[in-house]
Amino acid sequence: MSVLITGGAGFIGSHTAVEFMNAGYDVVIMDNFSNSKPVVLDRIKEITGKDFKFYKADLLDAAALDRIFEENPEIDSCIHFAGLKAVGESVSMPIEYYHNNVTGSLILCDSMRRHGVKTIVFSSSATVYGAPDEVPIKESARVGNATNPYGETKVMIERILKDIYVSDKEWNISVLRYFNPVGAHASGLIGEDPNGIPNNLMPYITKVALGKLPQLSVFGNDYDTHDGTGVRDYIHVVDLAKAHLKALEYIKSAHGIDYFNIGTGNGYSVLDMVKAYEQVTGLKVNYKIVGRRPGDVASCYADPSKAERVLGWKAEYGIVEMCRDANRWQTKNPNGYDS
Ligand code: UD1
């Protein structure tokens, strides 16, 4: 029994590979390194003390996927992360985003089906809820109206997976809707390494705190939240990785298709995060308030009770561990994997 992890060299994929290997799974990783580095693979081996098979391959390359399944007939499930994920870039490059994410997922599912592999955990996002009607968000909330092409690709892939299940009940499909993944492995060996200037809050804060960027721009302080800045549900990436283990084990025995919010259920504002980071690390995070970022919502946090009830999964780490581990990763790797 072995699990194929697409995008397994990425931020969430690499942490998930570690958790699966620690749990005794054989893992096969594929990645095209479009937003990750080969050294990640060495780090995964260093953390786990275990080896695994790796394929440098692109999801759009059907022949490469077929070869992976043919050479590894023990693969019986897939954790699917591979995809483009920068919101702003998706607005300027919609063709690339729809093609990579949607076509790539179709090619993967087709190859899986032809090789009799019908169990998949899909990396979705809270972005599928668009601007939520109410918080905390339950899985039953309206899906659709994502505010950008990246989000739409997640909505579309969820829809495709549902239709695949409707057509063939042998599929086991678990869809995980992540809230805001942050933090890093406690070893400081793997973490988030965005290309260029980060779009997301936490990697931006870590770089400001270490003097790599001059100042954080806080996008708006006139939202209807406790301090006016945007509220999100930050989730430690190791907790998130562990949710994939639970989701796979569950869907293999329960069968069918199911959806889970993966968050802590706690909403923190931008300024809460800045203050927590300063307190935990003792570093100063310079910031200034600027205008709102288009497409942002005031408040987005999960009702994660279904994951606890059905999967037996609950976030173990809080904001202190998130800040501590993000800072450890950034300090040990000031230039990310190029350090
Ligand atoms: C973003 C994406 C979401 C994606 C998620 C992945 C948008 C609109 N949404 O979520 O689709 O799934 O990342 O992690 O981009 N902020 C600042 N200054 C910054 C950066 C962020 O004030 O330099 C604020 C934002 O306005 C927001 C909060 O910090 O209130 C979190 O932002 P971010 O980390 O980008 O995540 P989301 O926007 O929630």
Side-chain angles (χ1 to χ4, degrees):
M1 263 192 345
S2 170
V3 52
L4 172 65
I5 304 185
T6 75
F11 174 43
I12 306 171
S14 58
H15 288 80
T16 302
V18 165
E19 293 308 318
F20 272 78
M21 289 164 74
N22 284 346
Y25 278 81
D26 284 328
V27 158
V28 176
I29 293 181
M30 72 166 274
D31 205 294
N32 66 0
F33 296 131
S34 70
N35 191 19
S36 60
K37 306 268 164 56
V39 68
V40 175
L41 305 174
D42 301 327
R43 302 282 179 92
I44 295 172
K45 287 177 193 161
E46 196 178 333
I47 293 170
T48 60
K50 292 181 184 163
D51 207 355
F52 53 86
K53 260 197 182 175
F54 172 75
Y55 290 84
K56 181 173 187 304
D58 195 294
L59 271 190
L60 295 171
D61 183 350
L65 273 167
D66 286 346
R67 202 176 66 245
I68 294 174
F69 287 115
E70 272 147 32
E71 290 180 3
N72 302 279
E74 70 287 359
I75 293 177
D76 69 351
S77 52
C78 177
I79 316 288
H80 176 31
F81 295 103
L84 300 174
K85 62 169 189 179
V87 170
E89 188 180 68
S90 79
V91 175
S92 53
M93 298 169 62
I95 295 175
E96 285 76 8
Y97 269 69
Y98 286 114
H99 189 49
N100 266 280
N101 294 7
V102 180
T103 314
S105 297
L106 283 169
I107 292 173
L108 172 67
C109 290
D110 183 38
S111 184
M112 288 175 69
R113 175 179 60 171
R114 282 185 286 102
H115 294 89
V117 179
K118 295 184 177 178
T119 298
I120 186 168
V121 178
F122 175 58
S123 160
S124 190
S125 166
T127 196
V128 301
Y129 297 118
D133 295 330
E134 58 177 4
V135 286
I137 305 175
K138 289 187 191 304
E139 288 82 354
S140 54
R142 184 177 43 85
V143 164
N145 302 324
T147 52
N148 54 73
Y150 156 75
E152 281 300 331
T153 69
K154 295 291 182 190
V155 173
M156 286 181 184
I157 299 163
E158 284 201 5
R159 179 62 201 254
I160 289 167
L161 290 170
K162 182 166 170 240
D163 289 341
I164 290 175
Y165 176 71
V166 167
S167 75
D168 177 356
K169 301 286 189 301
E170 282 180 10
W171 280 81
N172 305 315
I173 302 171
S174 207
V175 174
L176 300 187
R177 294 175 178 153
Y178 316 150
F179 281 70
N180 291 58
V182 298
H185 193 263
S187 63
L189 288 169
I190 54 174
E192 188 168 14
D193 184 20
N195 286 330
I197 296 189
N199 298 308
N200 297 118
L201 178 65
M202 197 60 159
Y204 210 107
I205 288 180
T206 62
K207 286 197 190 311
V208 172
L210 292 175
K212 298 239 143 224
L213 289 170
Q215 195 172 45
L216 170 73
S217 294
V218 174
F219 298 140
N221 67 348
D222 56 353
Y223 286 106
D224 182 17
T225 61
H226 62 271
D227 62 14
T229 66
V231 165
R232 297 291 182 275
D233 186 339
Y234 297 91
I235 168 88
H236 196 293
V237 65
V238 171
D239 275 331
L240 177 56
K242 288 177 179 165
H244 294 78
L245 256 179
K246 296 280 192 185
L248 181 65
E249 283 162 4
Y250 168 75
I251 208 68
K252 270 184 168 177
S253 61
H255 305 295
I257 181 166
D258 214 342
Y259 303 82
F260 301 97
N261 284 341
I262 305 298
T264 63
N266 299 312
Y268 290 103
S269 73
V270 177
L271 293 182
D272 289 337
M273 293 305 281
V274 167
K275 279 180 214 138
Y277 202 85
E278 290 185 335
Q279 269 167 15
V280 170
T281 65
L283 300 168
K284 179 95 189 91
V285 179
N286 297 315
Y287 70 86
K288 66 168 185 241
I289 308 287
V290 301
R292 293 183 177 193
R293 180 172 68 177
D296 275 352
V297 299
S299 199
C300 176
Y301 56 95
D303 175 344
S305 58
K306 181 178 172 190
E308 182 172 7
R309 194 174 66 249
V310 178
L311 301 180
W313 172 91
K314 190 175 190 300
E316 289 166 13
Y317 297 119
I319 195 168
V320 171
E321 291 86 0
M322 296 180 207
C323 295
R324 182 197 65 197
D325 294 340
N327 185 57
R328 185 189 293 113
W329 154 253
Q330 191 69 56
T331 306
K332 282 182 88 165
N333 308 270
N335 297 310
Y337 287 111
D338 289 334
S339 301

